[in-house]
Amino acid sequence: MLSTEAEFKQEIEACRSIFEKKTQDYGTSWRILRLPSITDQIFIKANRIRSIQESGTHLVDEGVRPEFIAMVNYATMALMQQELGRDGEQELPLDTALTLYDKHIRTATSLMLNKNHDYGEAWRQMRISSMVDLILMKIRRIKQIEDNQGKTIISEGVEGGYMDIINYSLFCLIRMTEEQAN
């Protein structure tokens, strides 16, 4: 069995590959999006997964795996967008976009490793549906913070929420990979 860190790296490679290919196809067109628009894109993906989980069917010929990958990538784009600001360069060179992507994924992975140590890999005992619910809760929190113009009294802010979305989505991808292997 691979370590959690090795499993994480495998799933990140799949997500990064999609990000890289889409950036080659579309450029960094996502730079036009305001953070609330990116948050809403993540919401759409998580809500679709929950709908499929609850109904057991889907009419669009895409399963839930691409939606988890999209949530990893959109949350990473949100962190990149937050760093770059809306007034920065709209079209980034591919190597710059990938460098920023890697930077934010490393930060999220570091957070995961620290939390995973403290929580004793509890996510391995969780249902994927519960992790989707936690993602939806994180999105609601982010939306509330956005509606409050980023002001919080005690909360960590949107960065922590985006990193948690990345990590929960990667946990779900790992669990799905494990289930397919069995």
Side-chain angles (χ1 to χ4, degrees), residues 36-78:
S37 298
I38 298 174
T39 303
D40 284 343
Q41 284 298 307
I42 299 166
F43 169 75
I44 289 167
K45 302 301 183 183
N47 200 56
R48 179 171 185 265
I49 293 169
R50 185 173 176 163
S51 175
I52 291 169
Q53 288 173 333
E54 289 179 353
S55 71
T57 63
H58 54 91
L59 300 179
V60 176
D61 192 26
E62 263 187 11
V64 297
R65 185 172 180 78
E67 303 294 20
F68 283 116
I69 291 170
M71 287 193 298
V72 169
N73 288 342
Y74 275 119
T76 306
M77 285 182 239

Side-chain angles (χ1 to χ4, degrees), residues 101-118:
Y101 184 95
D102 293 341
K103 171 187 171 184
H104 289 287
I105 287 291
R106 273 192 310 274
T107 302
T109 301
S110 178
L111 175 67
M112 178 279 298
L113 290 170
N114 291 339
K115 284 186 173 184
N116 202 38
H117 172 271
D118 290 354

Side-chain angles (χ1 to χ4, degrees), residues 3-51:
S3 70
T4 297
E5 189 170 4
E7 289 174 304
F8 232 62
K9 284 181 183 177
Q10 279 184 339
E11 299 299 344
I12 288 167
E13 286 174 19
C15 296
R16 187 184 190 276
S17 175
I18 297 292
F19 177 82
E20 181 176 8
K21 289 172 184 164
K22 288 197 175 205
T23 302
Q24 289 171 334
D25 285 348
Y26 306 129
T28 54
S29 58
W30 53 268
R31 288 279 293 132
I32 197 76
L33 296 173
R34 293 172 280 196
L35 281 175
S37 298
I38 298 174
T39 303
D40 284 343
Q41 284 298 307
I42 299 166
F43 169 75
I44 289 167
K45 302 301 183 183
N47 200 56
R48 179 171 185 265
I49 293 169
R50 185 173 176 163
S51 175

Side-chain angles (χ1 to χ4, degrees), residues 82-143:
Q82 188 173 35
E83 177 184 347
L84 295 169
R86 285 188 23 210
D87 297 332
E89 187 179 341
Q90 292 295 302
E91 193 55 44
L92 302 174
L94 178 62
D95 62 329
T96 301
L98 291 173
T99 298
L100 286 166
Y101 184 95
D102 293 341
K103 171 187 171 184
H104 289 287
I105 287 291
R106 273 192 310 274
T107 302
T109 301
S110 178
L111 175 67
M112 178 279 298
L113 290 170
N114 291 339
K115 284 186 173 184
N116 202 38
H117 172 271
D118 290 354
Y119 289 95
E121 296 210 332
W123 64 272
R124 290 194 182 273
Q125 306 305 313
M126 293 176 66
R127 295 172 185 95
I128 291 174
S129 60
S130 295
M131 288 190 267
V132 171
D133 289 349
L134 290 170
I135 290 168
L136 285 163
M137 179 188 69
K138 295 288 181 182
I139 294 166
R140 288 183 65 103
R141 288 179 178 180
I142 291 168
K143 286 176 153 213

